[in-house]
Amino acid sequence: MDMSRRTVIAGAAAAGLTAATIGTAHASGGRKPVKELFGTLADGTKVHRWSLENGGTRLKVLSYGGIVNSLEIPDRHGRYRNVSLGFGNIEDYVAKSPYFGALIGRYGNRIGKGQFTLDGTAYQVSVNDGVNSLHGGAQGFDKRVWDVEPFTKGSDVGLHLHYTSVDGEMGYPGTLRAKVTYTLTRSGDWRIDYEATTSKTTVVNLTSHVYWNLAGEGSGSVYDHELSIAAARYTPVDSGLIPTGELAKVAGTPFDFRRTKAVGADIRVAHQQLLYGKGIDHNWVLDKGVTAKPVHVATLRDPSSGRSLSIATTEPGLQFYSGNFLDGTLVGSGGRIYRQGDALCLETQHFPDSPNKPSFPSTVLRPGRTYRTSTVHSFGA
């Protein structure tokens, strides 16, 4: 357990909270995941919510979309808040969710015109973002009910989530068998391990779409959050938010987060890329590239609460989205309206439109190979 988390636990104890209350790990590990009914889909399918707690982190996950329904961590005084945006009922997730907390697939981010060619064969996948495909199409992995298997392993607790995407689903070739593992460690880290195999050559790019507000869900703008990203380049986009193929330097642009700065420091600078995205909605080319084990790439901190999020990943890219399309029409789980800039996303990934950009890291998966990536979220205060 890191020193910052020990400080939080000590503060909580001083405030009269027991170790069990704040979810610290015991010798046998965290609490066994608890299952409850969250709601029922129109076709009668039941959606369950799983609650996990370990190392001072509390996580609730839905079988629908593998959605993170809430993630609670303490502030510098040991006070818990849910730091992820979401809804309090399944109906809102089905009808209006902008991917709150969801598992994204088959292909996270955008594919230009929903078209690509593999081994000489052209494919047209579901188009759901103007003329482009976004996050797997109209019925991506975020809108599927996953099979969930809880586990405890040593001092860790977690969930194995399974979904089989049949050949041709949303236009993608091959039957893809996906397994995603959510683990809460004894130090309170939330780790995601992605795996997939295919029956035919396909493309795959899985990620998680949590909307973060470290001051607490529904608390207002995140523009004062402080962010650093270990990336000297990013991928500029056209007016449809499809990468041009250039790996541009961040130096001298609003996209330079190599040194920690406030999220909103340059978000209203008159830069064409910010006009295209109505804010930030871009992929950073991580300095480390693809790695066998997760390497630290970004840190987010809320000065008001002291809460921090550190991200390590094996992936070569990080999509930073500043909540530009939250427009005041959604009411969140805490009963408050979400407005522009009330959260941000940090999606570890391969690059958008990689199937059409041969110079980008490949997202092709062939039969007999296993897709594997990992991302670790560490919290402090």
Side-chain angles (χ1 to χ4, degrees), residues 354-366:
S354 288
N356 296 308
K357 302 290 190 298
S359 63
F360 286 2
S362 176
T363 54
V364 174
L365 178 66
R366 298 186 181 277

Side-chain angles (χ1 to χ4, degrees), residues 46-340:
K46 295 184 183 302
V47 174
H48 293 96
R49 179 168 65 181
W50 293 86
S51 299
L52 300 81
E53 186 173 347
N54 203 8
T57 299
R58 301 167 178 168
L59 177 65
K60 293 185 178 181
V61 176
L62 305 183
S63 56
Y64 179 81
I67 287 170
V68 172
N69 177 236
S70 72
L71 194 154
E72 298 181 44
I73 54 174
D75 66 6
R76 61 168 63 92
H77 302 295
R79 296 174 297 203
Y80 275 86
R81 288 290 299 272
N82 172 23
V83 297
S84 66
L85 270 58
F87 296 118
N89 60 80
I90 191 59
E91 291 78 15
D92 283 348
Y93 279 112
V94 171
K96 60 185 71 170
S97 179
Y99 305 100
F100 283 154
L103 283 177
I104 302 297
R106 286 190 192 191
Y107 198 95
N109 220 305
R110 293 174 173 86
I111 296 178
K113 298 182 180 179
Q115 299 174 350
F116 56 88
T117 299
L118 282 176
D119 298 336
T121 300
Y123 293 95
Q124 175 68 62
V125 298
S126 172
V127 170
N128 62 327
D129 182 47
V131 300
N132 302 314
S133 182
L134 175 65
H135 294 331
Q139 295 291 322
F141 287 7
D142 60 295
K143 296 177 178 65
R144 308 293 181 173
V145 175
W146 293 63
D147 293 327
V148 182
E149 175 190 358
F151 71 87
T152 58
K153 183 179 180 181
S155 58
D156 296 340
V157 299
L159 304 171
H160 296 303
L161 299 101
H162 301 266
Y163 177 69
T164 298
S165 176
V166 298
D167 184 18
E169 185 175 278
M170 295 295 103
Y172 287 90
T175 294
L176 190 83
R177 300 184 184 279
K179 175 184 177 182
V180 180
T181 301
Y182 289 167
T183 303
L184 283 188
T185 72
R186 67 177 302 162
S187 59
D189 293 349
W190 173 41
R191 179 180 177 120
I192 312 177
D193 294 288
Y194 305 88
E195 296 181 23
T197 59
T198 184
S199 64
K200 295 180 183 177
T201 300
T202 192
V203 294
V204 59
N205 190 27
L206 306 182
T207 191
S208 171
H209 209 295
V210 173
Y211 283 67
W212 300 101
N213 185 325
L214 298 182
E217 171 273 337
S219 64
S221 173
V222 295
Y223 287 168
D224 62 346
H225 280 34
E226 299 166 346
L227 177 66
S228 64
I229 304 174
R233 295 179 183 270
Y234 77 107
T235 52
V237 296
D238 62 19
S239 60
L241 301 182
I242 300 298
T244 63
E246 179 187 5
L247 305 183
K249 293 181 179 179
V250 300
T253 77
F255 302 94
D256 192 350
F257 283 86
R258 291 174 295 173
R259 292 186 178 181
T260 301
K261 69 177 181 181
V263 167
D266 298 318
I267 207 163
R268 302 200 186 280
V269 170
H271 191 286
Q272 184 61 60
Q273 288 294 307
L274 295 179
L275 292 171
Y276 282 153
K278 295 182 173 58
I280 298 172
D281 192 2
H282 294 75
N283 170 68
W284 267 250
V285 180
L286 299 173
D287 293 339
K288 71 174 189 65
V290 176
T291 49
K293 295 183 178 180
V295 174
H296 174 261
V297 296
T299 298
L300 181 69
R301 183 176 181 274
D302 169 41
S304 65
S305 66
R307 295 187 185 94
S308 66
L309 163 66
S310 177
I311 296 178
T313 188
T314 60
E315 291 279 53
L318 180 74
Q319 183 81 9
F320 169 23
Y321 167 59
S322 57
N324 316 321
F325 298 102
L326 298 174
D327 60 3
T329 62
L330 302 178
V331 178
S333 55
R336 296 179 65 84
I337 293 172
Y338 295 150
R339 299 190 181 278
Q340 186 180 51

